[in-house]
Amino acid sequence: MSFSGEVKRELCRVGLGRACCARAEAYGVLLYCNTFTAQELRIITECEEFAIRLPELFDRAFGGLSFDRMPTALEQKYIFQISDGEKLERIIDAFGFDARQSPVLHINFGLLEEDCCRAAFLRGAFLAGGSVTDPNKRYHLELETSHAQASRELQALLTDMGQQPKQVARGGYQVTYFKNSDQIEDLLTLMGAPLSAMALMNTRAEKELRNGVNRRVNCESANLDKAVDAAQEQLEAIRRLYELGRVEELSPQLKETVILRETYPELTLSQLAEEFDPPVTKSCLNHRLRKLVELSKK
């Protein structure tokens, strides 16, 4: 199962709670489901747990209301539908709208004054029209609806809750999305999916650790390449000094440096400095080797 599917399964394990929270969750579902007008309500989902939750949610939210159409065993997706005018009017009235008007254009903020109701509303919106990408690939959570005004008001609601959502139009739909991992973790926790938030947090920590190791390895590899290149340049300088017959003219300190560099071509400067008797500093050794290179070029 996808990470998004796991999140929805976890959200469906959250209890329905008080009637106001059940109504707020159903409100989120309706504004982000496939169809919600004064003539028809249609909810289509592939999540089995959400399909099991929906009848109980609507019964709790609207006092015994049932769907006109329930999913059948032959359908690949779970389809719920209400076309009965009285039921639709009852739902629309519960949200404070007139059934003769379009109920899907606005969010009634009066129903979302409590923090628990806001969390329930976001949970319903995500279950009906949300998705979150596998954090191993990238960080992205979005809520998609066909109702532009409701999408803008959701953005205002999230901003009022301290979130920083972004907005984009895509293929006739309005999308509210997050790309910051911290914000996605906070939103998952708020909606009622703390285990998924922890999984995302652990994945991010592993990626950061892995990236840190890779950067360190790359840095060490680059330093090793530089050391090898420098050693090759020094050995080439020594070879040229031999060819020119100038090694015997060198000072005792430089002669010792020539002998040890030839003897230990694989050692770093720090390691080679320890082979001198007495040991010299890395800075001192580096100065001697630069001197040899300069002499070979004269």
Side-chain angles (χ1 to χ4, degrees):
M1 179 176 288
S2 67
F3 182 71
S4 190
E6 291 291 347
V7 171
K8 291 186 178 183
R9 287 183 62 181
E10 185 178 0
L11 292 177
C12 287
R13 292 196 290 268
V14 178
L16 294 177
R18 298 184 298 172
C20 62
C21 292
R23 191 177 299 115
E25 183 175 329
Y27 197 14
V29 169
L30 292 170
L31 291 183
Y32 278 78
C33 70
N34 302 83
T35 305
F36 177 38
T37 67
Q39 292 75 41
E40 181 188 19
L41 161 62
R42 182 188 293 265
I43 304 170
I44 304 174
T45 180
E46 296 180 352
C47 178
E48 181 180 1
E49 288 76 15
F50 182 37
I52 295 172
R53 183 181 181 86
L54 269 174
E56 184 181 355
L57 173 64
F58 273 61
D59 177 73
R60 175 87 170 145
F62 307 113
L65 186 141
S66 61
F67 287 96
D68 295 341
R69 175 188 173 181
M70 297 282 287
T72 66
L74 299 178
E75 295 173 337
Q76 294 182 344
K77 296 182 179 181
Y78 302 97
I79 302 175
F80 297 83
Q81 185 177 19
I82 295 178
S83 54
D84 181 271
E86 291 185 4
K87 290 183 179 180
L88 289 168
E89 185 174 349
R90 185 171 158 190
I91 293 172
I92 294 170
D93 182 68
F95 296 135
F97 293 101
D98 188 333
R100 292 169 297 180
Q101 300 175 343
S102 179
V104 298
L105 296 181
H106 300 283
I107 295 176
N108 185 347
F109 290 100
L111 300 176
L112 307 177
E113 293 181 349
E114 300 292 333
D115 291 341
C116 57
C117 292
R118 290 184 171 191
F121 176 82
L122 293 172
R123 180 166 57 249
F126 184 84
L127 286 170
S131 64
V132 57
T133 303
D134 185 342
N136 284 298
K137 298 178 181 177
R138 61 192 178 104
Y139 305 121
H140 183 88
L141 182 148
E142 68 178 36
L143 299 163
E144 182 182 89
T145 180
S146 59
H147 312 302
Q149 185 62 30
S151 183
R152 284 192 292 269
E153 291 174 347
L154 174 68
Q155 185 177 25
L157 176 66
L158 288 166
T159 301
D160 185 60
M161 296 170 67
Q163 303 292 326
Q164 295 179 317
K166 296 182 179 180
Q167 200 87 4
V168 68
R170 183 201 301 149
Y173 289 88
Q174 300 298 316
V175 180
T176 303
Y177 68 95
F178 297 85
K179 286 187 174 294
N180 181 284
S181 59
D182 288 330
Q183 293 176 0
I184 295 174
E185 290 167 15
D186 291 344
L187 192 59
L188 290 176
T189 302
L190 175 65
M191 292 189 299
L195 297 180
S196 298
M198 184 63 68
L200 191 152
M201 190 182 304
N202 291 337
T203 300
R204 182 182 63 171
E206 291 174 3
K207 289 170 69 174
E208 289 176 351
L209 178 61
R210 186 163 57 248
N211 291 338
V213 170
N214 289 338
R215 283 194 296 270
R216 188 161 59 249
V217 168
N218 291 338
C219 181
E220 292 175 354
S221 177
N223 289 338
L224 181 59
D225 289 342
K226 290 180 181 178
V228 170
D229 291 341
Q232 289 298 322
E233 183 183 20
Q234 294 154 12
L235 291 170
E236 178 64 20
I238 291 171
R239 184 187 64 80
R240 290 177 63 188
L241 289 173
Y242 273 116
E243 291 176 351
L244 296 170
R246 301 193 59 185
V247 173
E248 295 302 323
E249 301 174 4
L250 300 176
S251 65
Q253 293 86 354
L254 290 180
K255 283 184 180 180
E256 184 182 18
T257 302
V258 167
I259 293 170
L260 290 175
R261 177 79 280 183
E262 285 186 303
T263 306
Y264 303 106
E266 76 286 354
L267 296 186
T268 64
L269 286 182
S270 299
Q271 295 168 333
L272 186 60
E274 294 294 325
E275 297 297 327
F276 284 76
D277 186 19
V280 298
T281 65
K282 179 180 176 181
S283 176
C284 175
L285 176 57
N286 190 41
H287 175 73
R288 292 184 185 181
L289 289 168
R290 282 206 307 268
K291 184 67 174 178
L292 291 173
V293 172
E294 290 174 3
L295 289 172
S296 70
K297 293 179 179 179
K298 291 183 181 179

